[in-house]
Amino acid sequence: MKAAIIGATGYGGAELVRILHQHDYIKQYSVYTSSQVGMKFSESYPQFNQITNEQLKEIDIDKISEEVDVVFMATPSGISNELTPKIFERGLTVIDLSGDLRFKDQDVYETWYKKKASPKDVLQKAVYGLTEINREIVKDAKLIANPGCYPTATILGLYPLLKNVKVDLDSIIIDAKSGASGAGRKASLATSYCEVNENFRIYKVNEHQHIPEIEQALKTVNPELGPIKFNTHLVPMTRGIMATIYCKPLNKMTEKSLRDLYQDFYQNDTFVRVREVGNYPSTKEVYGSNYCDIGITYDERTGWVTIVSVIDNLMKGAAGQAVQNLNVMLGIDEGTGLYGPPLFP
Amino acid sequence: MKAAIIGATGYGGAELVRILHQHDYIKQYSVYTSSQVGMKFSESYPQFNQITNEQLKEIDIDKISEEVDVVFMATPSGISNELTPKIFERGLTVIDLSGDLRFKDQDVYETWYKKKASPKDVLQKAVYGLTEINREIVKDAKLIANPGCYPTATILGLYPLLKNVKVDLDSIIIDAKSGASGAGRKASLATSYCEVNENFRIYKVNEHQHIPEIEQALKTVNPELGPIKFNTHLVPMTRGIMATIYCKPLNKMTEKSLRDLYQDFYQNDTFVRVREVGNYPSTKEVYGSNYCDIGITYDERTGWVTIVSVIDNLMKGAAGQAVQNLNVMLGIDEGTGLYGPPLFP
Amino acid sequence: MKAAIIGATGYGGAELVRILHQHDYIKQYSVYTSSQVGMKFSESYPQFNQITNEQLKEIDIDKISEEVDVVFMATPSGISNELTPKIFERGLTVIDLSGDLRFKDQDVYETWYKKKASPKDVLQKAVYGLTEINREIVKDAKLIANPGCYPTATILGLYPLLKNVKVDLDSIIIDAKSGASGAGRKASLATSYCEVNENFRIYKVNEHQHIPEIEQALKTVNPELGPIKFNTHLVPMTRGIMATIYCKPLNKMTEKSLRDLYQDFYQNDTFVRVREVGNYPSTKEVYGSNYCDIGITYDERTGWVTIVSVIDNLMKGAAGQAVQNLNVMLGIDEGTGLYGPPLFP
Amino acid sequence: MKAAIIGATGYGGAELVRILHQHDYIKQYSVYTSSQVGMKFSESYPQFNQITNEQLKEIDIDKISEEVDVVFMATPSGISNELTPKIFERGLTVIDLSGDLRFKDQDVYETWYKKKASPKDVLQKAVYGLTEINREIVKDAKLIANPGCYPTATILGLYPLLKNVKVDLDSIIIDAKSGASGAGRKASLATSYCEVNENFRIYKVNEHQHIPEIEQALKTVNPELGPIKFNTHLVPMTRGIMATIYCKPLNKMTEKSLRDLYQDFYQNDTFVRVREVGNYPSTKEVYGSNYCDIGITYDERTGWVTIVSVIDNLMKGAAGQAVQNLNVMLGIDEGTGLYGPPLFP
């Protein structure tokens, strides 16, 4: 089977190359870009020297359609809106890593992304690829809206609780932190080394475009959910997201019951690991891997729950989950190409 | 005037030396330790080569009492409990940077610190040295319990709101983040480079000993305050604390009114800087300085307030505030020795 | 085939687990330690949660000999001296990652390591496992002295030049830099986060124990080589080594001829990648992989050669090369378990 | 006395503001830029909030000449070539932090900087402001070419040896390392966080524009010096330079005689600190300060000398030395405004 990666010069694209290079079913892949056509991929990413000889090709949808079976869109938001409908109508399977296809409601997208939304019919066909939650509908999908990095960590962290426990819906707070690779590979003062190093910054306060994505997903569990409190911080590190989630259940709980609830919920999910009571994950413990690690506790003093959910933003938060979705669609082992343990230290 | 620094080989102690070295009133200081007696201070901290020739002396309270006027206790918790009463009764002014003298209630200390509390009469005489809040009583104090780093950022962030606005007391969440220097200068696997670098970790979930300190201080504003939700994270950086604080006011507000409230509250406080609406501080913007920078916003969608408060944990969170308190006690310009702008980048 | 990892709680040991877990021939491995017997390996390294259930066992050589076929010694220097002879005489294949078996001359070891050397007969049987150089004798070895991290980068960088070009032997300078993981997993002030972060340090000036190892290896190329100049620096990063090597050829050269010489020398070596003229590797470009990337140039102005050689110290500099040697000994594809591309960013 | 800082939005400019703000003689300074005219300086650098209210003004040489007495040029190379002659002829004292005025030979500048050189007469009047070496001629200067960061560390490290000891001139190797702030404040992929963090890179191999600056300075000691070997590496940290210098004296030496030689040479220089035998500086030990720390050793085995010289590139390597030169020109205490101890940790 052959795959195309459009937008391969970004960090998400390079991570797709890394995974697909070791994937048993998709060993052939080609790379497309709008900016460095003709250059060898390994000139842009020297870690791939002598590993791949692929050249960056221009994005010609007709050619791509003839040559490949599945297309990964690893482009910034606003590109997939235009390209994906054309690729999709040519019969290819598309997995879009951008935010363009994630919203059923065009207005929501246009309000938060300040861009023109994709056509309604395309949005209706797109399946939100949070694999553990939507595995059954992913199986039959041909068009995947791959979730955002923050939403992946957040929704996997909150879902079992909201599904099984009555909580004060207004109490939910998500305090999220990310490494700098989430901003993509580009020249920018805000993500230059001297501005990020030895610094901890809050950004997009109450304005992050992942807010409506999280709300849309959580409303499928409880339609009464109102607007959520969600803030994002930039951590001086390259990879990793932690969502620290607070909320108040309406009734008292025990730590053990909470932990059991999560363990049960994710018992068949290889890539979600629930920690023992009293044990919390750090981001490095999933570094370079497709795992989402979750720790959870109930504070007897306050009656509040704290959930800690970590992922590697480029893997489970982007390229890893994209391949996980592909595996599900292909009906092969969901972890194909994704079993590499985290890299630590 | 002469000062003694007990526990000078820790990071807080070294920061005191850095400040006092440039202090117009206290140019003479001596350094005491329990572990490296006889060594030159600059052997332990080579940045002070040819700047100070002080030798580390053993802690002999009688000698210290004869030689100095004011004592800074920069020791780990559990030491000041024993030493400070003896120093204090010899008539010296004491500023204790540890947690030992911060609690009026011995039980609270013993519960959270798992150590024997200081004598009640000593605790009663100790003034909690959060300068901006307690300046008037600091003026007449002879014994200062210098606040913890997290409490300083948190209380300065919450105080004006709690004082002036009715909030849902159960809604308050403090999600705090700190660099690694807060853990002190010591050999420890948990703070070794490879475990901290490129990693973001939550620690002491619902168990941090700064929780009761924050509660005690905030209850002076509103005695009805219950237990607070407070969690701490380790950021891969050396200096800096950010407290991201969430809470829900009972009535609607505007961003401008909130910002005005804070600006008014701190208008005469050199070291607290309130940001303009829409502007939030990052930790590097107070690096190496005594400033506490605060950003604040009201989210129209959710009706919640977010407060962002940053300090340098070794300065406003420890040594800087200790000297600020000393200045107030001496009746001199509060910023003496502390006006150095932050170091950026 | 079954493998034992002795000293599995160190970073080198954990890296061996990561590699062997994905190794097609050795899927069964057990882990041994002197310090945390009985603990689950994944308690010590939570990244392996639900990946391996191995428990840390005590080092009982008789039991080990019955259960496994090959033993990796990932212990600090001084341990293998005692254990390896006993394991080896029980007929097992041993790959020792410590420095204990690398020297043919016992005096050299004892001078630089300040420890008692291994028995002469064991040292004679040990093959120095710099795979690309010694592949032919590794094939028949039963006992491998796996090279040190700095020597691997240095010798691979210098070997082709010394083999093929006449150089002023006294001109050779090796200025080496390493991330902190080379110091191992332990509590130590010198490698604590605040001492390493935002800091660049030189250490063991003219005294590093890898000096005699490099000299021994290079003297096999040219016995006239005298003592080398070799210094090591600690870089504020976790993984990676760069050796910047300077030396003066006796005759003029061209950049192209130099590059061709290296390219020819390593043309059949998957894990050594020689850069194009004008292109130099950075450490991140081999991060988490078994590659050694080399850039080389000739300065027309000065007539000197500069060689830049980078590796991941835990992979090609330790665990990766150990497995590469095992593969060669087993007669299987040399890259088995080692083809994972570098992780970037 | 009034100062102007032209190019104040760069890191060097911001560091000048930090120093001048605490300078006893120059408390009034104004800031000029070509790009953000009208903006408050503290909007560009929030660490200066409520510390300075200066606005960024456009560069109008006539106005500047009327208002100030001394001008700091903190502009990229190529700007001062044009502006400085005009400012200088209006009678102002100029301290140029760029490379534009450092070369007596126009051809050398044009070869290495690929830009048109300054007029010959201006270059002749410019004094190379390496304070410790040229203090006597700085005293009478009106125009200072402030040295580059690498040359400052390198020349201070080599000068005493070349002046007093016969060395093999072809043996000199300078292996230099720098933090990322040397690249200035700008959006650039090469200095973006994810490309620099956890990475160690060599750059401008044999091509750095500081090579001829070092050669010019060292030739004043020994005109027979030929082209030097000098390479630069990017360290994942913000501030700091280390030059590791190797060279071979023609005769045997002792460590003590070497150390004494350096100690004597710099005995009256506050800002150069020579370490004891066996002790070497790290970059953090001069962080945020104007010190240059030097360690030096002689290797009995090889007969080579190693010199380790560290500075903070923004201080002694730029803004700090610029103010040091100003102080010398003003005939005031050379350390005015510069006595702040290094910030550690």
Side-chain angles (χ1 to χ4, degrees):
Chain A
M1 198 178 192
K2 291 184 189 176
I5 301 167
I6 298 185
T9 55
Y11 291 141
E15 200 70 348
L16 280 167
V17 171
R18 186 173 73 90
I19 301 170
L20 294 183
H21 185 75
Q22 303 185 279
H23 195 280
D24 288 337
Y25 288 71
I26 305 207
K27 271 274 165 72
Q28 234 184 314
Y29 51 86
S30 41
V31 287
Y32 301 86
T33 178
S34 58
S35 59
Q36 304 172 40
V37 175
M39 190 189 268
K40 279 179 66 179
F41 182 66
S42 62
E43 281 180 77
S44 185
Y45 284 106
Q47 76 264 28
F48 288 109
N49 254 332
Q50 298 178 25
I51 293 177
T52 177
N53 282 316
E54 288 298 317
Q55 267 189 313
L56 290 161
K57 302 182 201 167
E58 74 171 338
I59 305 169
D60 178 327
I61 288 174
D62 287 325
K63 276 198 188 165
I64 294 173
S65 303
E66 283 164 28
E67 291 171 12
V68 311
D69 308 292
V70 59
V71 173
F72 292 93
M73 296 292 298
T75 45
S77 67
I79 311 289
S80 184
N81 280 345
E82 274 191 49
L83 292 187
T84 294
K86 297 179 193 166
I87 300 170
F88 187 59
E89 71 186 17
R90 276 164 175 81
L92 277 69
T93 294
V94 179
I95 298 172
D96 178 26
L97 283 76
S98 84
D100 288 3
L101 303 178
R102 295 181 194 149
F103 298 93
K104 296 305 173 200
D105 182 336
Q106 289 178 311
D107 289 348
V108 171
Y109 177 84
E110 295 186 350
T111 301
W112 290 84
Y113 282 75
K114 323 272 186 228
K115 279 170 185 159
K116 181 136 184 54
S118 300
K120 257 196 175 155
D121 60 321
V122 175
L123 294 178
Q124 283 315 315
K125 283 172 195 148
V127 166
Y128 187 67
L130 191 58
T131 328
E132 284 75 14
I133 306 300
N134 291 340
R135 189 178 286 118
E136 290 309 311
I137 50 173
V138 167
K139 279 180 184 168
D140 302 320
K142 298 285 288 175
L143 180 56
I144 296 287
N146 211 55
C149 48
Y150 286 122
T152 296
T154 302
I155 301 165
L156 290 177
L158 263 171
Y159 203 94
L161 190 76
L162 290 187
K163 189 89 183 173
N164 293 284
V165 176
K166 288 198 169 143
V167 307
D168 172 358
L169 291 178
D170 190 35
S171 74
I172 303 170
I173 304 267
I174 300 138
D175 190 276
K177 301 92 177 172
S178 175
S181 60
R185 193 184 214 198
K186 58 171 187 256
S188 142
L189 183 56
T191 55
S192 74
Y193 186 79
C194 296
E195 307 284 320
V196 173
N197 180 44
E198 267 296 284
N199 202 356
F200 188 83
R201 180 181 296 281
I202 192 169
Y203 68 102
K204 294 196 184 175
V205 181
N206 297 323
E207 290 176 0
H208 201 288
Q209 72 276 11
H210 285 167
I211 291 175
E213 184 180 338
I214 296 168
E215 289 175 353
Q216 174 181 276
L218 294 182
K219 275 179 181 161
T220 66
V221 197
N222 188 334
E224 287 170 27
L225 186 92
I228 56 161
K229 279 75 64 186
F230 174 81
N231 274 319
T232 48
H233 304 76
L234 181 59
V235 184
M237 63 186 188
T238 297
R239 287 169 181 250
I241 277 180
M242 179 182 285
T244 314
I245 304 167
Y246 302 88
C247 72
K248 184 160 194 174
L250 295 183
N251 302 305
K252 288 208 171 186
M253 305 191 67
T254 64
E255 280 204 313
K256 196 183 164 311
S257 66
L258 251 185
R259 201 266 166 185
D260 286 349
L261 187 164
Y262 273 70
Q263 183 59 28
D264 288 351
F265 191 89
Y266 289 121
Q267 62 183 325
N268 297 318
D269 294 302
T270 305
F271 292 115
V272 180
R273 305 186 294 189
V274 181
R275 295 296 174 97
E276 300 290 342
V277 168
N279 196 307
Y280 306 89
S282 73
T283 59
K284 195 78 187 279
E285 289 160 5
V286 298
Y287 205 77
S289 84
N290 198 47
Y291 292 96
C292 173
D293 279 15
I294 296 176
I296 182 158
T297 191
Y298 176 79
D299 185 11
E300 297 280 348
R301 288 176 72 245
T302 63
W304 283 62
V305 164
T306 305
I307 305 159
V308 180
S309 174
V310 304
I311 58 169
D312 180 323
N313 55 302
L314 295 178
M315 288 292 294
K316 183 64 181 168
Q321 187 156 247
V323 173
Q324 189 182 0
N325 282 321
L326 177 69
N327 294 341
V328 171
M329 292 157 88
L330 293 177
I332 63 174
D333 177 356
E334 187 175 317
T336 306
L338 298 170
Y339 285 124
L343 193 71
F344 181 97
Chain B
M1 200 178 192
K2 291 184 188 175
I5 301 167
I6 298 185
T9 54
Y11 291 140
E15 199 71 349
L16 281 167
V17 170
R18 186 174 72 90
I19 301 171
L20 294 183
H21 186 75
Q22 302 186 280
H23 195 279
D24 289 337
Y25 286 70
I26 305 207
K27 270 276 166 71
Q28 235 184 314
Y29 52 86
S30 40
V31 286
Y32 301 85
T33 179
S34 58
S35 59
Q36 304 172 39
V37 176
M39 191 190 267
K40 280 179 66 178
F41 182 66
S42 62
E43 281 180 77
S44 184
Y45 284 106
Q47 76 264 31
F48 288 110
N49 253 332
Q50 299 179 25
I51 293 177
T52 177
N53 283 316
E54 287 298 317
Q55 268 189 313
L56 290 161
K57 302 181 202 168
E58 73 171 337
I59 305 168
D60 177 328
I61 289 174
D62 287 324
K63 276 198 186 164
I64 293 173
S65 303
E66 283 165 27
E67 290 170 11
V68 311
D69 308 291
V70 59
V71 172
F72 292 93
M73 296 293 298
T75 44
S77 66
I79 311 288
S80 184
N81 280 346
E82 273 191 50
L83 292 186
T84 293
K86 298 179 193 166
I87 300 170
F88 187 60
E89 71 186 17
R90 277 163 175 82
L92 276 70
T93 295
V94 179
I95 299 172
D96 178 27
L97 282 77
S98 85
D100 288 2
L101 303 178
R102 293 182 195 149
F103 299 92
K104 296 305 172 200
D105 183 336
Q106 290 178 310
D107 288 348
V108 171
Y109 177 85
E110 296 185 350
T111 300
W112 290 83
Y113 282 75
K114 323 272 186 228
K115 281 171 185 158
K116 182 137 183 53
S118 301
K120 257 197 175 159
D121 60 320
V122 174
L123 293 178
Q124 284 314 315
K125 283 172 194 145
V127 166
Y128 187 67
L130 190 59
T131 328
E132 284 75 14
I133 306 300
N134 290 339
R135 189 179 285 115
E136 289 311 308
I137 51 172
V138 168
K139 279 180 184 167
D140 301 321
K142 298 285 289 174
L143 181 57
I144 296 287
N146 212 57
C149 48
Y150 285 121
T152 295
T154 303
I155 302 166
L156 290 177
L158 262 171
Y159 203 94
L161 190 76
L162 290 188
K163 189 88 181 176
N164 293 284
V165 176
K166 287 197 171 144
V167 307
D168 172 358
L169 292 178
D170 191 33
S171 73
I172 303 170
I173 303 266
I174 300 137
D175 190 276
K177 299 92 176 173
S178 175
S181 61
R185 192 185 216 198
K186 58 170 187 259
S188 142
L189 182 57
T191 56
S192 74
Y193 186 79
C194 296
E195 306 284 320
V196 173
N197 180 45
E198 267 295 284
N199 202 355
F200 188 84
R201 180 180 294 283
I202 192 168
Y203 69 102
K204 293 193 185 177
V205 180
N206 296 323
E207 289 177 1
H208 201 287
Q209 72 276 12
H210 285 167
I211 291 174
E213 184 180 338
I214 295 167
E215 289 176 352
Q216 175 181 276
L218 295 183
K219 276 179 181 162
T220 66
V221 197
N222 189 333
E224 288 171 27
L225 186 91
I228 56 161
K229 279 74 64 187
F230 174 82
N231 274 320
T232 47
H233 304 75
L234 181 59
V235 184
M237 63 185 189
T238 297
R239 287 170 181 248
I241 277 179
M242 179 181 285
T244 313
I245 305 166
Y246 302 88
C247 71
K248 183 160 195 175
L250 296 183
N251 303 303
K252 288 208 171 185
M253 306 191 66
T254 64
E255 280 205 313
K256 195 183 165 311
S257 66
L258 252 186
R259 201 267 166 183
D260 286 349
L261 188 163
Y262 273 70
Q263 184 58 28
D264 288 353
F265 190 90
Y266 289 122
Q267 62 183 325
N268 296 318
D269 293 304
T270 305
F271 291 116
V272 180
R273 305 187 295 189
V274 180
R275 294 297 175 96
E276 301 289 344
V277 168
N279 196 307
Y280 305 89
S282 74
T283 59
K284 195 79 188 277
E285 289 161 4
V286 297
Y287 205 78
S289 84
N290 198 48
Y291 292 96
C292 173
D293 280 15
I294 296 175
I296 182 159
T297 191
Y298 176 78
D299 185 11
E300 296 280 348
R301 287 175 74 246
T302 61
W304 283 62
V305 164
T306 306
I307 305 159
V308 180
S309 174
V310 304
I311 59 169
D312 180 322
N313 55 303
L314 295 178
M315 287 293 294
K316 183 65 180 169
Q321 187 156 249
V323 173
Q324 188 182 359
N325 283 322
L326 178 70
N327 293 342
V328 171
M329 292 157 89
L330 293 177
I332 63 175
D333 178 355
E334 189 174 317
T336 307
L338 298 170
Y339 285 123
L343 193 71
F344 182 98
Chain C
M1 200 179 192
K2 291 186 189 176
I5 301 167
I6 298 185
T9 55
Y11 290 141
E15 200 70 348
L16 280 168
V17 171
R18 186 173 72 90
I19 300 170
L20 294 183
H21 185 74
Q22 303 184 278
H23 195 280
D24 288 337
Y25 287 70
I26 305 207
K27 270 276 164 70
Q28 234 183 315
Y29 52 86
S30 42
V31 287
Y32 301 84
T33 178
S34 58
S35 59
Q36 304 172 41
V37 175
M39 190 189 267
K40 279 178 67 178
F41 182 65
S42 62
E43 282 180 76
S44 185
Y45 284 107
Q47 76 265 29
F48 288 109
N49 254 331
Q50 299 179 25
I51 293 177
T52 176
N53 283 316
E54 287 298 316
Q55 267 189 314
L56 290 160
K57 301 182 203 167
E58 74 170 338
I59 305 168
D60 177 327
I61 289 174
D62 287 323
K63 276 198 189 165
I64 293 173
S65 304
E66 283 165 29
E67 290 171 13
V68 312
D69 308 292
V70 59
V71 173
F72 292 93
M73 296 293 298
T75 45
S77 66
I79 311 288
S80 184
N81 280 346
E82 274 192 50
L83 292 187
T84 294
K86 297 179 194 167
I87 300 170
F88 187 60
E89 71 185 19
R90 278 164 175 81
L92 277 70
T93 295
V94 179
I95 299 173
D96 178 26
L97 283 75
S98 84
D100 288 3
L101 303 178
R102 295 183 194 147
F103 299 91
K104 296 304 173 201
D105 183 335
Q106 289 179 311
D107 289 347
V108 171
Y109 177 85
E110 295 186 350
T111 301
W112 290 84
Y113 282 75
K114 323 271 186 228
K115 280 170 187 159
K116 182 136 185 52
S118 300
K120 260 198 173 156
D121 60 320
V122 175
L123 293 178
Q124 283 316 315
K125 283 171 195 146
V127 167
Y128 188 66
L130 191 58
T131 328
E132 284 75 14
I133 306 300
N134 291 339
R135 189 179 285 117
E136 290 309 311
I137 50 173
V138 168
K139 279 180 185 168
D140 301 321
K142 298 285 287 175
L143 181 57
I144 296 286
N146 211 56
C149 48
Y150 285 121
T152 296
T154 302
I155 301 165
L156 290 177
L158 262 171
Y159 202 94
L161 190 75
L162 290 188
K163 190 88 182 175
N164 293 284
V165 177
K166 287 199 170 139
V167 307
D168 172 357
L169 290 178
D170 190 34
S171 73
I172 303 170
I173 303 265
I174 301 139
D175 191 276
K177 301 91 176 173
S178 174
S181 60
R185 192 185 215 197
K186 58 171 187 257
S188 142
L189 183 57
T191 55
S192 74
Y193 186 80
C194 296
E195 306 285 320
V196 173
N197 180 45
E198 266 296 283
N199 202 356
F200 188 83
R201 180 180 296 282
I202 192 169
Y203 69 101
K204 294 196 185 174
V205 181
N206 297 323
E207 290 176 0
H208 200 288
Q209 73 275 11
H210 285 166
I211 290 174
E213 184 179 339
I214 295 167
E215 290 175 352
Q216 174 181 276
L218 295 182
K219 275 180 182 163
T220 66
V221 196
N222 188 335
E224 288 170 28
L225 186 91
I228 57 161
K229 280 74 65 185
F230 174 81
N231 274 319
T232 47
H233 304 76
L234 181 59
V235 185
M237 63 186 188
T238 297
R239 286 170 182 249
I241 277 180
M242 180 182 286
T244 314
I245 304 167
Y246 302 88
C247 72
K248 183 160 195 174
L250 294 183
N251 301 305
K252 288 208 171 187
M253 305 191 66
T254 64
E255 280 204 314
K256 196 181 164 312
S257 66
L258 253 184
R259 202 266 167 184
D260 286 349
L261 187 163
Y262 274 70
Q263 184 59 29
D264 288 351
F265 191 90
Y266 289 122
Q267 62 183 325
N268 297 318
D269 293 303
T270 305
F271 292 116
V272 180
R273 305 186 295 189
V274 181
R275 294 297 174 97
E276 300 290 343
V277 169
N279 196 307
Y280 305 90
S282 74
T283 59
K284 195 78 187 280
E285 289 160 5
V286 298
Y287 205 78
S289 84
N290 198 49
Y291 291 95
C292 173
D293 279 15
I294 296 175
I296 182 158
T297 191
Y298 176 78
D299 185 10
E300 296 280 348
R301 288 176 72 244
T302 62
W304 283 62
V305 164
T306 305
I307 306 159
V308 180
S309 174
V310 305
I311 58 168
D312 180 323
N313 55 303
L314 294 177
M315 289 292 295
K316 182 65 180 167
Q321 187 155 248
V323 174
Q324 188 182 358
N325 283 321
L326 177 69
N327 293 341
V328 171
M329 292 156 89
L330 293 177
I332 62 174
D333 177 356
E334 187 174 317
T336 306
L338 298 170
Y339 285 124
L343 194 71
F344 181 99
Chain D
M1 201 179 192
K2 291 182 188 177
I5 301 166
I6 298 184
T9 54
Y11 290 141
E15 199 70 349
L16 280 168
V17 170
R18 186 173 72 90
I19 300 171
L20 294 183
H21 186 75
Q22 302 184 281
H23 194 278
D24 288 338
Y25 287 70
I26 305 207
K27 271 276 164 71
Q28 236 183 314
Y29 52 86
S30 40
V31 286
Y32 301 85
T33 179
S34 58
S35 58
Q36 305 173 40
V37 176
M39 191 190 267
K40 279 179 67 179
F41 182 66
S42 62
E43 281 179 77
S44 184
Y45 283 108
Q47 77 264 31
F48 287 110
N49 253 332
Q50 299 178 25
I51 293 176
T52 177
N53 283 315
E54 288 298 317
Q55 268 188 314
L56 290 160
K57 301 181 203 168
E58 73 171 336
I59 305 168
D60 177 329
I61 288 174
D62 287 325
K63 276 197 186 165
I64 292 173
S65 303
E66 282 165 28
E67 289 171 12
V68 311
D69 308 292
V70 59
V71 172
F72 292 93
M73 297 292 299
T75 45
S77 67
I79 311 288
S80 184
N81 280 346
E82 274 193 48
L83 292 187
T84 293
K86 297 180 194 166
I87 300 170
F88 187 59
E89 71 185 17
R90 278 163 174 82
L92 275 71
T93 295
V94 179
I95 299 172
D96 178 26
L97 282 77
S98 85
D100 287 2
L101 304 178
R102 294 182 195 149
F103 298 92
K104 295 306 171 198
D105 183 336
Q106 289 178 311
D107 288 347
V108 171
Y109 177 84
E110 296 186 351
T111 300
W112 290 84
Y113 281 76
K114 322 271 186 229
K115 281 172 185 160
K116 183 141 183 48
S118 301
K120 258 197 175 158
D121 60 320
V122 174
L123 293 178
Q124 284 315 316
K125 283 172 194 146
V127 167
Y128 187 67
L130 190 59
T131 328
E132 283 74 12
I133 306 301
N134 290 339
R135 190 179 286 116
E136 289 310 309
I137 50 173
V138 167
K139 279 180 184 166
D140 301 321
K142 299 285 289 174
L143 181 57
I144 296 286
N146 212 57
C149 49
Y150 285 121
T152 295
T154 302
I155 301 165
L156 290 177
L158 263 171
Y159 202 94
L161 190 76
L162 289 188
K163 189 88 182 174
N164 294 283
V165 175
K166 288 199 170 141
V167 308
D168 172 358
L169 291 178
D170 190 34
S171 73
I172 303 170
I173 303 266
I174 301 138
D175 191 276
K177 300 92 176 173
S178 174
S181 61
R185 192 185 215 199
K186 57 170 187 259
S188 141
L189 182 57
T191 56
S192 74
Y193 186 80
C194 296
E195 305 286 320
V196 173
N197 180 45
E198 267 295 283
N199 202 355
F200 187 83
R201 180 180 296 283
I202 193 168
Y203 68 102
K204 294 194 184 177
V205 180
N206 296 324
E207 291 176 359
H208 200 288
Q209 71 276 12
H210 285 167
I211 290 174
E213 184 179 338
I214 295 168
E215 289 176 352
Q216 175 181 274
L218 294 183
K219 276 179 182 163
T220 66
V221 197
N222 189 334
E224 288 170 28
L225 185 91
I228 56 162
K229 280 72 65 186
F230 174 81
N231 274 319
T232 48
H233 303 76
L234 181 59
V235 185
M237 63 184 189
T238 297
R239 287 170 181 249
I241 276 179
M242 179 182 285
T244 313
I245 304 167
Y246 302 87
C247 71
K248 182 158 195 176
L250 295 182
N251 302 304
K252 288 208 171 187
M253 306 192 65
T254 65
E255 280 205 313
K256 195 181 165 313
S257 66
L258 252 186
R259 201 266 166 185
D260 286 350
L261 188 164
Y262 274 70
Q263 183 59 29
D264 288 352
F265 190 89
Y266 289 121
Q267 63 183 324
N268 296 318
D269 293 303
T270 305
F271 291 116
V272 180
R273 304 187 295 190
V274 180
R275 293 297 174 96
E276 300 290 343
V277 168
N279 196 307
Y280 305 89
S282 73
T283 59
K284 195 79 188 277
E285 289 160 6
V286 297
Y287 206 78
S289 83
N290 198 48
Y291 292 95
C292 173
D293 279 15
I294 296 175
I296 182 158
T297 191
Y298 176 78
D299 185 10
E300 296 280 348
R301 287 176 74 245
T302 62
W304 283 62
V305 164
T306 306
I307 306 159
V308 180
S309 174
V310 304
I311 59 169
D312 181 322
N313 55 304
L314 295 177
M315 287 294 293
K316 183 64 180 169
Q321 187 157 249
V323 172
Q324 189 182 358
N325 283 321
L326 177 69
N327 293 341
V328 171
M329 291 157 88
L330 293 177
I332 62 175
D333 178 356
E334 188 174 316
T336 307
L338 298 171
Y339 285 124
L343 193 72
F344 181 98

